[in-house]
Amino acid sequence: MIEHKQVKSALQDSVEHCCSGRESIPTLQWISGTDTLHTFFNQSWLDFTGRTLEQELGNGWLEGVHPEDLQHCLETYQSALSCRQSFQLEYRLKRSDGEYRRLLDTGRPRYTPSGSFAGYTGSCIDISDRQQTEDALRHNQLFLQFLFQNVLDAIVVADDQGRYVDVNPAACKLFGLSEEELLGRRITDFTEHKFNFKQTWQAFQEQGKHCGELTLRRLDGTLRVVEYTSTANVLPHRHLTVLRDITFVELAQQKQLQRSEAHLAEAQKIAHIGSWEFDLTTGAITWSDEVFRIFGLDPAQGAPPYSEYLQLIHPDDREILSHTVQTAIAQGKSYQLDHRILQPDNSIRQVNGRGQVNFNSQGQVVRLFGTVMDITERKHAQEALQESEERFRQVFAQAPIGIVLSTPDGKLRQINQVFCQMLDYTEAELMALNFTEITHPEDLTSELPYIEQILKGEICSYQLEKRYFQKNGAILFAHLTCGVVRDLQGNVIYALGMVKDITERKQAEQDIHRQTRYQKLLAEISLRIRESLQIEVILQTTVTQLQQLLQADRVIFYRLWPNCSGQVVAEAVVPEWSSTLGRVLIDQCFEDKYLKQYQQEIHAWSDVEQAGFQPCHLEMLRQFGIRSDLIVPILLKDKIWGMLFVHQCSAPRQWNKFEIDLLRQLADQLSIALAQAELLEQETCYSQELARSNAELEQFAYVASHDLQEPLRTLASYAKLLSRRYSGQFDQKGNRFIQYILEEALRMQALINDLLRYSRVGRQGQNFAPTDCAAVFDIVVRRLEEAISNNGATVTCGELPMLMADETQLVQLFQNLLSNAIKYRSSQPPVVQVAAQRQEGEWLFSVGDNGIGIDPQYTGRIFVIFQRLHTQEEYSGTGIGLAIAAKIVERHGGRIWVESALGQGATFYFTIPQLGVSAFSGRESG
Ligand code: ADP
């Protein structure tokens, strides 16, 4: 035990010791005069400095003084001298070996026997060693003193009776007493529980050391918890104890404990983990709050005993849990188990239970403790995750689209079967590839910027139509939707592509495009075909256009004759291949095969060599180099009229459905064009025939009427003569017969005249000249004067025009219509109205009457020669009048018709085209 007073005395001892050895050390001595100059140095001095007396005398010795001490040395010396006092001075003097030694120089004034001041006498001792020891001791002392005074731990020093003989400030603070109050007290003055001090003190002194923790009760009653270490006999009979106040540490620890318990509870709550203990010896079960929460129970009720606890376990899991716990106890092993529990409302929760065992000293399990964690949500999440993973797997495997997972740098990592099938690769083959290797280079250029953007996170996904290469190099058109999957840090883990095969759609688009082009071309060809009404031109146009459109080697039109033979009548052939124009292609085997088989439908042979034709047929095809053949029947009025052949000679050719469709439509157009042309041909024939027969008829009529007139006149003359001269000689019957002959001869004459007139309309027509219709009307009215007056008829006309016409024929036309209007009168006096009105490019005339009218079903027939609706007895006539009228109108380029109903009168209309200038004549007749 170190005690500072002890330290002080030890120091004293040491100084004493140094001083006691003074005699043994040679003293360096010197003498100086009143002028301060040294006059003597003893031998010891000279030995010490290693210099001569001469060197040292006067102020010479100062050369050996340490420069730092010189000033101090001189000053002390001077000031002492001035008042003639003794002095003590420390300075360092250089020894003969060069080392500075510290000297204690003591100077005393010197007096002559007379008592006058004679200077100083001095003696020096080397105190270098003493100084060092003294310094060390002083430092130690100061340090200990400092420590003792300032250390935060309390230090008390006790004597053999345990009474405090020295205490530091920290001890005063700890005990709440001043140094004086504390000194002389013992530890028993401060312990709460009294104990056998003597015995304890004894034991301490024997052991030499004691440490522990105790609670001090201070004199004011407050408590302090301390940790202490006591050491016996630190110095003889001195026992030192260091005490540390840990009251606040204790408190803090308690608080910390409370706090960490609160934290634990909070953590348990957050993590849904509760902790429990099961003391097997007492059967006591302890639950943390969270266990109560998990089980849906009130903590105030306390944890249930084990048997009740088992009832809280889902019935299906009860046995396994019970068994697991039993095994853990029996085998002393920890366990963990996922099981279900039932909450009071019967809702089921999933928990993860963990248990550990504690053993007693005999190695028996005495305690189980562990945790229970609510994993319902986690289970749900797991199930949801599993479900979602399963769903993804299902989608991946069964989606009708290709799905591809690739690394951010494009290596294919996972591929579904659909994608493999799309590209016709195996999964393993694709896994070895990068997406760039299966992408069309042109599309890669457009896709790469997207990939860059998506990797940078500028876009979330992109869509693109692109081309992939299949294994055999063929192209697959696809629609790609690509997105990326990122980790929590936002880094792209992989890219997910969904690929839809759109080849068919693309094909369809191309087809539509081609179809549109074909339709346009078809329209053009049809137009050209229709432009002509000549069959040869139509056929030639067709084959030429078709050959160009289909880029075929040869297109021919084969005309089939009614006798089943036929001939190539039109052809367009590229120069490399021979012409078949004019050839008769159908031989025996050809005829059988084709005509029946190919009449109705288009037939396409992509390769005739593979078509299974008869050898003779094949031979014929080879003769013209035909390799691929398209045959289109051309029908006219449902009968085969001919065939279009499209030949590819250079190589086989697959005819696509658009080409076939195009030909089908073209065949229809061709049929129509041909039908029209044929119709025209027929019509031309008919009209030529008609003109010829008309001419013949006119010739006949003229000849007949001319030649018949003469004998008829003779016949009539003689019949008249007979009647006049011999009328008395015949009986009544004879007279009547002669009368008949006369009548019929006259009728015959009229007929012949009419016929002659009819035949003259075409043959003897005048040139057209300006004709005043009003004048014509007047002529006719004058000619019919008798009939008009006999019938009491009224014949009027409106304003009639001047026309370019044949006046004689116009007179005949009006006469025929007006005479009929009077003749076919009803019981009413005839009223006949003639009118004319200008229409676009022509004049429309009407002749209306109030006569018997005509049944509408006969209105067409009456204009045909010899057609009459009445007998001679009813109305006389020849049935030629309206035929002549029609012919005259026709000659003038107009039309004639009648509108009527029986008993309603009739109105005859005719038109005369307006040739040159024509206008109303400005006259009116009544
Ligand atoms: P026909 O010499 O018999 O009069 P047409 O050629 O002049 O010969 O007339 C042909 C037929 O048309 C007549 O037989 C008559 O039945 C009918 N017909 C002509 N004009 C009239 C009319 N104005 N009213 C009624 N019937 C008429």
Side-chain angles (χ1 to χ4, degrees):
M1 184 183 273
I2 292 173
E3 191 184 338
H4 78 292
K5 282 177 182 163
Q6 233 82 20
V7 172
K8 279 184 257 176
S9 74
L11 184 65
Q12 199 58 49
D13 289 350
S14 155
V15 173
E16 304 282 283
H17 169 73
C18 282
C19 295
S20 65
R22 196 178 296 157
E23 307 315 315
S24 59
I25 299 169
T27 309
L28 315 184
Q29 290 182 335
W30 55 270
I31 294 171
S32 70
T34 53
D35 54 358
T36 75
L37 295 174
H38 285 54
T39 55
F40 171 79
F41 290 94
N42 72 352
Q43 191 55 44
S44 296
W45 179 283
L46 296 177
D47 289 347
F48 181 85
T49 60
R51 289 159 58 98
T52 61
L53 182 64
E54 288 70 31
Q55 283 175 314
E56 297 292 76
L57 286 176
N59 278 333
W61 66 279
L62 286 172
E63 288 167 16
V65 176
H66 194 284
E68 283 176 10
D69 298 342
L70 192 60
Q71 183 73 15
H72 169 63
C73 193
L74 287 173
E75 276 171 12
T76 309
Y77 190 34
Q78 285 291 347
S79 69
L81 186 81
S82 61
C83 48
R84 292 167 189 176
Q85 280 187 339
S86 299
F87 66 85
Q88 254 192 342
L89 173 68
E90 275 182 30
Y91 57 88
R92 281 165 289 175
L93 187 70
K94 196 190 260 183
R95 205 162 60 180
S96 58
D97 60 1
E99 187 189 330
Y100 281 103
R101 301 290 291 179
R102 187 172 290 276
L103 300 185
L104 179 66
D105 195 345
T106 307
R108 290 189 187 88
R110 189 163 56 87
Y111 295 93
T112 59
S114 57
S116 59
F117 176 64
Y120 276 83
T121 172
S123 61
C124 308
I125 51 167
D126 184 342
I127 59 162
S128 295
D129 296 331
R130 193 194 81 188
Q131 181 74 36
Q132 275 173 9
T133 312
E134 200 177 325
D135 281 354
L137 279 169
R138 196 168 59 240
H139 283 149
N140 271 346
Q141 189 197 8
L142 286 172
F143 177 68
L144 286 170
Q145 195 65 32
F146 182 82
L147 216 60
F148 193 74
Q149 294 297 322
N150 292 292
V151 71
L152 290 172
D153 289 335
I155 300 173
V156 289
V157 180
D159 60 12
D160 287 337
Q161 281 71 47
R163 296 192 186 282
Y164 298 148
V165 292
D166 202 357
V167 295
N168 73 347
C172 298
K173 198 178 165 202
L174 175 67
F175 288 95
L177 296 173
S178 66
E179 187 177 346
E180 289 72 35
E181 288 169 329
L182 189 54
L183 289 173
R185 292 189 184 272
R186 290 199 305 197
I187 189 68
T188 45
D189 295 338
F190 304 100
T191 47
E192 218 181 353
H193 308 289
K194 301 298 167 199
F195 58 94
N196 190 338
F197 174 73
K198 223 174 173 179
Q199 200 180 326
T200 313
W201 190 249
Q202 186 95 32
F204 159 59
Q205 289 200 322
E206 279 166 19
Q207 286 165 5
K209 212 155 183 89
H210 192 259
C211 57
E213 204 180 294
L214 62 89
T215 306
L216 299 177
R217 175 185 285 277
R218 298 201 291 193
L219 297 185
D220 65 359
T222 54
L223 299 177
R224 278 288 178 276
V225 183
V226 294
E227 218 174 51
Y228 66 91
T229 308
S230 299
T231 312
N233 296 308
V234 173
L235 290 173
H237 311 293
R238 290 291 180 267
H239 316 289
L240 182 136
T241 302
V242 181
L243 305 105
R244 177 170 292 178
D245 188 346
I246 57 165
T247 314
F248 295 103
V249 176
E250 260 312 272
L251 268 178
Q253 278 175 352
Q254 276 172 18
K255 273 197 184 137
Q256 183 64 35
L257 187 67
Q258 283 165 6
R259 231 193 336 258
S260 53
E261 274 172 0
H263 278 166
L264 181 67
E266 190 61 24
Q268 288 194 350
K269 200 167 161 185
I270 292 167
H272 298 295
I273 300 177
S275 54
W276 52 265
E277 271 184 50
F278 182 12
D279 189 334
L280 296 174
T281 52
T282 62
I285 290 180
T286 319
W287 280 5
S288 74
D289 283 356
E290 187 56 24
V291 182
F292 284 100
R293 232 188 319 273
I294 291 171
F295 279 85
L297 296 174
D298 180 3
Q301 306 289 314
Y306 186 67
S307 56
E308 275 178 41
Y309 162 73
L310 279 180
Q311 294 308 308
L312 304 174
I313 308 303
H314 191 282
D316 294 349
D317 297 344
R318 213 169 277 158
E319 199 180 318
I320 172 94
L321 176 78
S322 168
H323 179 257
T324 307
V325 172
Q326 295 307 327
T327 312
I329 295 170
Q331 300 180 356
K333 283 185 182 163
S334 58
Y335 71 87
Q336 79 150 306
L337 180 71
D338 283 356
H339 63 88
R340 287 160 295 175
I341 60 164
L342 294 173
Q343 289 194 331
D345 62 357
N346 272 334
S347 60
I348 296 172
R349 297 201 75 80
Q350 281 280 350
V351 300
N352 169 262
R354 286 165 191 258
Q356 281 190 17
V357 289
N358 266 173
F359 302 94
N360 64 8
S361 52
Q362 284 82 49
Q364 293 161 323
V365 175
V366 288
R367 196 172 76 107
L368 272 179
F369 65 98
T371 56
V372 53
M373 174 161 55
D374 188 343
I375 55 165
T376 313
E377 265 81 46
R378 199 185 73 192
K379 273 270 174 190
H380 284 168
Q382 254 172 9
E383 279 164 16
L385 185 67
Q386 270 170 4
E387 202 182 310
S388 127
E389 276 177 358
E390 180 56 23
R391 222 178 297 138
F392 176 74
R393 249 196 304 281
Q394 294 285 340
V395 167
F396 195 83
Q398 285 167 22
I401 53 168
I403 305 181
V404 189
L405 280 181
S406 71
T407 57
D409 60 354
K411 285 198 191 75
L412 304 181
R413 277 290 156 266
Q414 209 177 337
I415 306 140
N416 73 349
Q417 268 309 305
V418 178
F419 191 69
C420 294
Q421 284 158 10
M422 273 183 190
L423 298 194
D424 205 20
Y425 276 108
T426 65
E427 195 180 335
E429 285 170 335
L430 275 177
M431 294 287 259
L433 294 175
N434 191 295
F435 93 98
T436 51
E437 295 168 81
I438 49 171
T439 297
H440 192 288
E442 282 172 21
D443 298 336
L444 193 60
T445 320
S446 44
E447 188 171 3
L448 286 176
Y450 283 121
I451 295 174
E452 211 167 288
Q453 278 179 293
I454 207 168
L455 289 178
K456 278 189 197 158
E458 291 170 1
I459 52 171
C460 302
S461 66
Y462 64 86
Q463 297 195 357
L464 172 89
E465 279 186 9
K466 64 180 280 192
R467 285 160 291 177
Y468 286 102
F469 287 122
Q470 290 178 326
K471 191 179 175 181
N472 63 3
I475 281 178
L476 176 103
F477 284 95
H479 180 275
L480 166 72
T481 305
C482 185
V484 287
V485 179
R486 294 172 191 277
D487 63 14
L488 287 175
Q489 284 74 47
N491 304 315
V492 174
I493 320 171
Y494 53 82
L496 176 67
M498 278 161 291
V499 184
K500 192 170 176 220
D501 182 351
I502 55 163
T503 311
E504 262 178 39
R505 200 194 78 199
K506 279 276 164 189
Q507 200 84 50
E509 276 174 13
Q510 282 179 355
D511 285 353
I512 287 171
H513 187 71
R514 198 168 356 175
Q515 208 171 356
T516 317
R517 192 168 64 93
Y518 276 175
Q519 287 298 338
K520 200 165 150 253
L521 289 169
L522 176 71
E524 278 173 24
I525 297 179
S526 304
L527 198 69
R528 290 206 189 161
I529 294 173
R530 295 284 196 88
E531 267 171 7
S532 173
L533 283 170
Q534 281 178 278
I535 289 175
E536 292 77 25
V537 176
I538 291 170
L539 295 179
Q540 191 54 51
T541 309
T542 305
V543 294
T544 309
Q545 294 285 321
L546 207 52
Q547 186 268 324
Q548 285 171 9
L549 173 61
L550 297 178
Q551 292 294 298
D553 289 334
R554 185 192 292 119
V555 179
I556 59 176
F557 191 88
Y558 194 74
R559 178 80 162 90
L560 278 165
W561 312 125
N563 65 359
C564 289
S565 70
Q567 200 175 15
V568 177
V569 294
E571 181 185 57
V573 62
V574 293
E576 298 91 292
W577 299 97
S578 60
S579 170
T580 59
L581 198 61
R583 296 293 290 261
V584 177
L585 295 178
I586 291 178
D587 61 11
Q588 199 49 47
C589 78
F590 199 82
E591 182 183 347
D592 286 353
K593 279 265 161 205
Y594 275 145
L595 292 182
K596 294 188 187 86
Q597 211 177 330
Y598 303 144
Q599 255 175 18
Q600 299 305 322
E601 240 326 297
I602 294 179
H603 282 74
W605 307 104
S606 53
D607 187 356
V608 295
E609 298 289 341
Q610 309 295 319
F613 288 143
Q614 298 272 327
C616 61
H617 183 180
L618 212 51
E619 188 47 48
M620 188 276 299
L621 293 172
R622 284 183 190 143
Q623 197 186 325
F624 299 108
I626 300 163
R627 189 68 200 267
S628 188
D629 200 359
L630 195 63
I631 304 156
V632 189
I634 304 297
L635 305 179
L636 210 60
K637 294 184 201 122
D638 296 336
K639 286 219 176 83
I640 188 154
W641 193 82
M643 286 167 161
L644 260 176
F645 289 83
V646 184
H647 293 156
Q648 203 65 35
C649 302
S650 44
R653 172 168 174 169
Q654 198 67 45
W655 305 99
N656 68 42
K657 78 177 177 55
F658 301 107
E659 290 164 342
I660 292 173
D661 263 6
L662 171 82
L663 281 169
R664 190 170 288 128
Q665 292 180 51
L666 190 67
D668 290 343
Q669 293 295 323
L670 189 57
S671 292
I672 295 167
L674 289 172
Q676 279 180 342
E678 209 177 55
L679 210 62
L680 181 75
E681 258 182 19
Q682 276 174 8
E683 236 173 58
T684 314
C685 281
Y686 285 149
S687 53
Q688 282 171 356
E689 182 64 21
L690 196 64
R692 192 182 53 76
S693 72
N694 275 352
E696 276 175 10
L697 181 66
E698 274 175 15
Q699 189 61 29
F700 165 76
Y702 177 74
V703 171
S705 48
H706 189 266
D707 292 356
L708 281 174
Q709 259 183 340
E710 199 42 46
L712 196 57
R713 228 184 334 257
T714 311
L715 181 70
S717 305
Y718 278 100
K720 275 181 194 160
L721 204 59
L722 201 61
S723 148
R724 207 167 47 233
R725 288 200 192 162
Y726 303 98
S727 62
Q729 292 169 26
F730 295 124
D731 58 6
Q732 208 177 354
K733 227 180 197 172
N735 283 334
R736 209 169 61 237
F737 288 163
I738 288 172
Q739 192 55 39
Y740 284 158
I741 292 169
L742 261 175
E743 276 174 24
E744 286 309 304
L746 287 174
R747 209 166 77 86
M748 185 81 118
Q749 245 174 353
L751 196 63
I752 285 168
N753 283 335
D754 276 354
L755 255 180
L756 204 57
R757 226 175 280 134
Y758 177 82
S759 69
R760 272 183 195 141
V761 175
R763 290 172 67 235
Q764 293 184 351
Q766 307 289 310
N767 285 339
F768 291 175
T771 305
D772 183 355
C773 294
V776 169
F777 177 79
D778 290 346
I779 296 168
V780 173
V781 169
R782 256 199 310 279
R783 283 196 189 171
L784 296 176
E785 218 166 27
E786 196 183 340
I788 290 170
S789 65
N790 286 348
N791 286 285
T794 313
V795 179
T796 57
C797 79
E799 203 179 350
L800 296 178
M802 286 283 288
L803 284 174
M804 290 295 288
D806 181 336
E807 189 181 318
T808 318
Q809 289 187 348
L810 273 197
V811 170
Q812 186 69 59
L813 171 62
F814 273 98
Q815 186 176 321
N816 289 7
L817 292 176
L818 287 175
S819 61
N820 277 354
I822 296 164
K823 181 161 67 173
Y824 297 103
R825 57 165 290 184
S826 63
S827 50
Q828 301 290 315
V831 176
V832 183
Q833 172 68 36
V834 176
Q837 73 182 76
R838 194 206 291 262
Q839 298 194 143
E840 198 182 335
E842 63 184 12
W843 285 89
L844 172 67
F845 290 85
S846 61
V847 179
D849 63 47
N850 60 344
I852 57 170
I854 304 162
D855 186 338
Q857 64 175 311
Y858 302 124
T859 50
R861 210 164 100 179
I862 55 174
F863 295 98
V864 178
I865 193 165
F866 303 132
Q867 291 295 328
R868 306 194 69 238
L869 302 178
H870 306 281
T871 60
Q872 279 304 324
E873 284 70 35
E874 290 169 315
Y875 298 96
S876 66
T878 59
I880 299 176
L882 285 181
I884 291 173
K887 213 167 173 190
I888 291 169
V889 171
E890 193 182 309
R891 180 161 178 258
H892 281 80
R895 293 158 285 130
I896 185 166
W897 68 98
V898 65
E899 288 175 9
S900 179
L902 271 178
Q904 303 288 311
T907 302
F908 284 82
Y909 295 95
F910 64 89
T911 61
I912 302 289
Q914 189 180 329
L915 303 171
V917 182
S918 68
F920 286 113
S921 63
R923 291 179 52 205
E924 202 172 324
S925 297

